[in-house]
Amino acid sequence: MKVEQDLPRQRIETPQNLRTFLEALKKERPDDLLVIDKPISPIHEMNALLVELENRQRYPVVLYTNTVNHYGQKSAFPVLANVFASRARNSWVMGSTSERIPFDYYKRLQHPVDPVVIPSEAAPVHEVIEQGDQVDLLKFPIPVHHEWDPGPYITAGFVTMKWSDNRGYNDGLHRCFIRDKNTMLSFFSPAKHDWYILEENSRANRPTPVVVWLGHHPGAYFGAQAKAPIGVNEYALPGGFLGQPMRLTPSVTWGEEFLVPADAEIVIEGVIYPGEQGVEAPFGEYTRYYGEQRYNPVIHVTAVTHRRDAIWQDINVSHADNHVLGGFALEAKVFEAVHQYVHGVKAVHLPLSGCCRFLCYISIHKQTEGEGKLALAAALPVDSRIKYVIVVDDDVDVFNEAEVLWAFATRTKLPEDSITITDIIGEGLDPMAIDTEKSSLINKVGYDATKPVETGFAEKVGWPQEIVEKVKQLENYVDRATLGRLPQD
Ligand SMILES: Cc1cc2nc3c(=O)[nH]c(=O)nc-3n(C[C@H](O)[C@H](O)[C@H](O)COP(=O)(O)O)c2cc1C
Ligand SMILES: [Mn+2]
């Protein structure tokens, strides 16, 4: 088979995929995998169960093995969800730590690896190929997530398009509503790169080829989810996280003109025709509110290919699985922006409480007055979704929200220690945003909760280190049973 000439055909011994991840997880972190083999419905039940676990502060990867499809028939395909819900587990995948994720994520993006191409016959995702009338998305046990959602949604699918003039592939996670067995509706918020591609093609009155791929090693998700500059070949980004090139194969619909990830579980190929729109949503958004019904582009599915025993990967939108994954790219971008101006950036955290989007905590090693505000000025414009930034000193743990708020409460004098930007472009899904004809406006506020360095500041209370260490052995003072009975506040 002829393959794209400019891509190498290097052989990869152990291609990384969703299965190699699950194997490693079983071996190294067995308690992180919860297999539910009791019958469970894809309609609300799968996601409600993940939320119940989350309410109990449990974030395992969940594999539902006993599923039904949208004809009510027992399905051969299991559903896997919550892969990204735990920051600690993600940092293990990345070979990093919870604290270091923004820095390591940023570093890996600096080292893209060109993908390689393999023939269709060797591609696991081409074990089953269905085209034309054979296409039936409803054969999969695709979850319906929230009560008001109009039906099943793909939430872990990278919607991939090509820039015109050979500027490479772009992908982003965009939800797809399964309208019927072979049409889907997807949502591209304005200024997302896929949105630009659609606009460009629409103006030129040409159809847009679209590929939605899902089920892959989480490293591939981390790379593909990056917010890369326009024109970067986004098939090269997973390589930096997988430690090997991503394997691609010619699509069924367009051959080598449009390559698809060979090691994905499922690939859906389709076309968006210029100007065609259909009704989509309401949908439970990552904000934890329903987003309103809207007109969105229609994807006409031309082919579905999958591994014979494909695993349907789902992301529990509106919850940690969605929040945590999307937050890394923003944390890395905040680090990138702030460290250009402030040298002592120690940590960056977009906490779950702000959906890993709206709130941002940064700690710095402050060396001179004004650095706190400099950090704020750099961080606030990084992304339309970042609304509030709090900068603290490096004696405050940005992963402990009680500490951050303590610093905010005791180290700020408002309004002097804040900067406000009014009526700046914000996130359309933010329920507080004011919609204009073309954009959504919000206010952004940054709080400088760093101590003054030149005038001195009240000292934190403390104890001699050896005493602190000694009392850590609480069992030397109180027996375990008594300790266990002490009420928790
Ligand atoms: C689980 C998940 C679902 C998402 N769904 C959408 C969506 O439906 N529409 C959208 O515009 N962005 C969505 N996003 C955000 C985009 O995937 C993200 O901004 C991405 O970087 C866009 O790609 P781009 O940088 O090439 O524009 C989602 C993110 C996550 C983590
Ligand atoms: Mn992009």
Side-chain angles (χ1 to χ4, degrees):
M1 172 172 291
K2 218 171 107 222
V3 292
E4 243 178 48
Q5 288 311 308
D6 55 344
L7 288 170
R9 291 213 230 171
Q10 176 191 332
R11 188 177 152 69
I12 294 163
E13 285 309 324
T14 316
Q16 294 298 312
N17 56 43
L18 186 55
R19 286 132 202 267
T20 57
F21 161 71
L22 287 173
E23 282 313 309
L25 190 72
K26 277 183 208 154
K27 218 161 99 198
E28 291 181 42
R29 300 174 70 101
D31 294 338
D32 269 45
L33 179 64
L34 178 63
V35 179
I36 305 264
D37 51 20
K38 295 245 162 31
I40 190 153
S41 169
I43 301 171
H44 307 139
E45 199 178 355
M46 289 181 179
N47 288 84
L49 193 120
L50 300 177
V51 174
E52 181 57 30
L53 286 165
E54 192 165 319
N55 290 342
R56 299 178 192 210
Q57 269 119 53
R58 299 293 191 278
Y59 302 91
V61 175
V62 177
L63 184 67
Y64 296 116
T65 57
N66 198 340
T67 64
V68 287
N69 66 19
H70 288 279
Y71 297 103
Q73 301 156 334
K74 189 166 165 38
S75 170
F77 306 107
V79 173
L80 183 79
N82 239 23
V83 168
F84 306 104
S86 149
R87 189 174 178 106
R89 187 169 57 242
N90 290 329
S91 68
W92 165 73
V93 173
M94 243 183 262
S96 184
T97 63
S98 286
E99 294 77 18
R100 290 210 50 82
I101 281 182
F103 313 117
D104 290 333
Y105 186 92
Y106 172 73
K107 245 194 278 170
R108 281 167 189 251
L109 286 181
Q110 308 306 305
H111 298 99
V113 182
D114 275 338
V116 295
V117 183
I118 63 167
S120 167
E121 305 80 65
V125 79
H126 279 178
E127 281 170 8
V128 175
I129 295 180
E130 290 159 341
Q131 286 174 275
D133 287 348
Q134 297 166 318
V135 168
D136 186 359
L137 291 166
L138 298 171
K139 76 172 190 176
F140 294 110
I142 310 175
V144 178
H145 297 78
H146 314 95
E147 192 172 7
W148 287 6
D149 292 1
Y153 268 81
I154 301 175
T155 57
F158 282 99
V159 180
T160 307
M161 299 182 189
K162 272 184 104 164
W163 294 98
S164 58
D165 308 326
N166 259 339
R167 283 177 295 159
Y169 293 88
N170 186 72
D171 57 28
L173 284 169
H174 295 275
R175 87 284 189 107
C176 299
F177 165 48
I178 311 294
R179 188 168 74 180
D180 52 47
K181 65 186 191 137
N182 59 4
T183 55
M184 311 192 289
L185 291 149
S186 191
F187 170 55
F188 308 97
S189 56
K192 292 288 164 76
H193 294 170
D194 280 351
W195 181 87
Y196 280 121
I197 294 173
L198 277 176
E199 286 285 300
E200 220 175 270
N201 287 345
S202 191
R203 274 198 301 276
N205 201 26
R206 55 177 180 243
T208 304
V210 181
V211 158
V212 183
W213 54 274
L214 61 141
H216 212 305
H217 193 281
Y221 273 76
F222 295 149
Q225 177 56 13
K227 297 209 70 75
I230 288 180
V232 165
N233 177 11
E234 296 193 348
Y235 275 153
L237 300 177
F241 292 84
L242 295 170
Q244 59 181 215
M246 178 136 118
R247 298 199 310 171
L248 303 176
T249 198
S251 58
V252 171
T253 312
W254 308 279
E256 69 218 46
E257 287 296 307
F258 201 128
L259 300 166
V260 301
D263 294 302
E265 293 293 316
I266 296 167
V267 164
I268 301 164
E269 304 176 5
V271 180
I272 296 176
Y273 294 103
E276 186 187 351
Q277 293 198 316
V279 176
E280 191 256 350
F283 183 61
E285 310 280 3
Y286 73 87
T287 56
R288 301 197 178 177
Y289 296 99
Y290 286 105
E292 59 197 28
Q293 205 167 48
R294 49 181 98 222
Y295 283 105
N296 272 326
V298 183
I299 303 174
H300 293 273
V301 179
T302 52
V304 173
T305 77
H306 60 84
R307 290 169 182 262
R308 208 170 307 286
D309 54 349
I311 301 170
W312 183 274
Q313 188 166 351
D314 176 71
I315 289 178
N316 191 14
V317 282
S318 80
H319 284 81
D321 201 14
N322 179 348
H323 296 151
V324 176
L325 172 63
F328 295 158
L330 300 190
E331 287 179 354
K333 288 199 78 167
V334 168
F335 165 67
E336 183 182 15
V338 177
H339 99 296
Q340 289 183 47
Y341 304 102
V342 178
H343 291 297
V345 182
K346 292 293 169 197
V348 178
H349 185 209
L350 269 66
L352 264 178
S353 54
C355 308
C356 301
R357 309 286 190 279
F358 299 119
L359 296 173
C360 173
Y361 308 144
I362 303 169
S363 67
I364 61 170
H365 177 66
K366 185 174 172 184
Q367 295 166 61
T368 182
E369 300 307 346
E371 276 186 309
K373 281 207 179 148
L374 192 57
L376 293 174
L380 282 169
V382 163
D383 190 89
S384 59
R385 292 161 291 185
I386 296 177
K387 275 166 82 173
Y388 304 116
V389 181
I390 302 179
V391 177
V392 295
D393 296 296
D394 55 358
D395 65 335
V396 174
D397 178 4
V398 296
F399 295 94
N400 180 338
E401 292 201 279
E403 265 191 45
V404 173
L405 291 177
W406 167 77
F408 171 71
T410 62
R411 296 181 184 181
T412 57
K413 180 159 160 276
L414 297 178
E416 292 93 317
D417 288 330
S418 67
I419 55 177
T420 302
I421 307 171
T422 56
D423 298 325
I424 187 170
I425 290 183
E427 158 70 313
L429 294 175
D430 177 349
M432 288 304 286
I434 306 291
D435 289 334
T436 69
E437 202 180 316
K438 290 202 172 143
S439 58
S440 304
L441 301 181
I442 56 154
N443 294 350
K444 296 191 179 212
V445 187
Y447 300 98
D448 179 3
T450 58
K451 298 180 286 186
V453 280
E454 288 170 20
T455 53
F457 192 76
E459 284 298 327
K460 253 165 81 171
V461 294
W463 302 265
Q465 192 55 35
E466 66 277 13
I467 302 288
V468 172
E469 293 305 322
K470 189 175 170 204
V471 297
K472 274 194 181 143
Q473 312 300 320
L474 256 188
E475 309 76 50
N476 293 341
Y477 301 84
V478 203
D479 66 80
R480 267 176 204 280
T482 311
L483 206 54
R485 274 200 307 276
L486 294 177
Q488 264 194 329
D489 212 357

